[in-house]
Amino acid sequence: MARYVSLINWTDQGIAAFQDTTDRADAATDLAKSLGAELQQIYWCLGPYDIVAILEAPDDETVTAFALKLSSAGNVRTTTMRAYARDEIGAIIAKAG
C-alpha cells in the first residue's frame, strides 16, 4: 500500500473541543479501516501543525475519500502528501535514469 503523511490543523470547532481529540483519533482510525486504509501513527505537535498522521492506503482515491470524510466533521483541515520509502524512491530514481 502507498504511504501518506497528513499535516493537520484544528478548526475553531476542533480546538474548542480539544478534550475530545483522542476520541476523534480513534474515530479516524475506524474511518480509515472502513475505507480499506490504515492510520498507522498519530502525533500531536507544537508548531505550525497541530497533528501529523501517517496513513497507508491502496491508492490516492482512498486517501482522498478519507481526508474528505474526516474534514467534513468540521474539526480539522488536512494537507496530505504521498510519501516514498527508501526502496520506492530508489526505484523511481532508477526509472528516471
Side-chain angles (χ1 to χ4, degrees):
M1 285 209 281
R3 184 169 292 127
Y4 299 84
V5 176
S6 287
L7 306 174
I8 302 169
N9 280 312
W10 283 324
T11 61
D12 289 342
Q13 174 182 308
I15 193 64
F18 69 89
Q19 300 93 335
D20 299 332
T21 189
T22 56
D23 292 335
R24 293 194 306 251
D26 292 340
T29 299
D30 293 342
L31 171 61
K33 285 181 189 174
S34 75
L35 295 170
E38 181 184 352
L39 190 51
Q40 294 186 320
Q41 296 288 331
I42 301 173
Y43 300 99
W44 287 262
C45 304
L46 297 175
Y49 297 98
D50 299 311
I51 301 167
V52 174
I54 310 299
L55 176 77
E56 281 196 351
D59 50 44
D60 291 349
E61 292 81 6
T62 300
V63 80
T64 301
F66 171 79
L68 287 170
K69 189 81 168 167
L70 183 69
S71 296
S72 73
N75 294 306
V76 296
R77 298 276 184 259
T78 65
T79 299
T80 302
M81 303 169 287
R82 174 70 165 90
Y84 297 95
R86 183 183 183 97
D87 61 331
E88 292 171 315
I89 199 65
I92 291 168
I93 290 168
K95 190 175 197 174

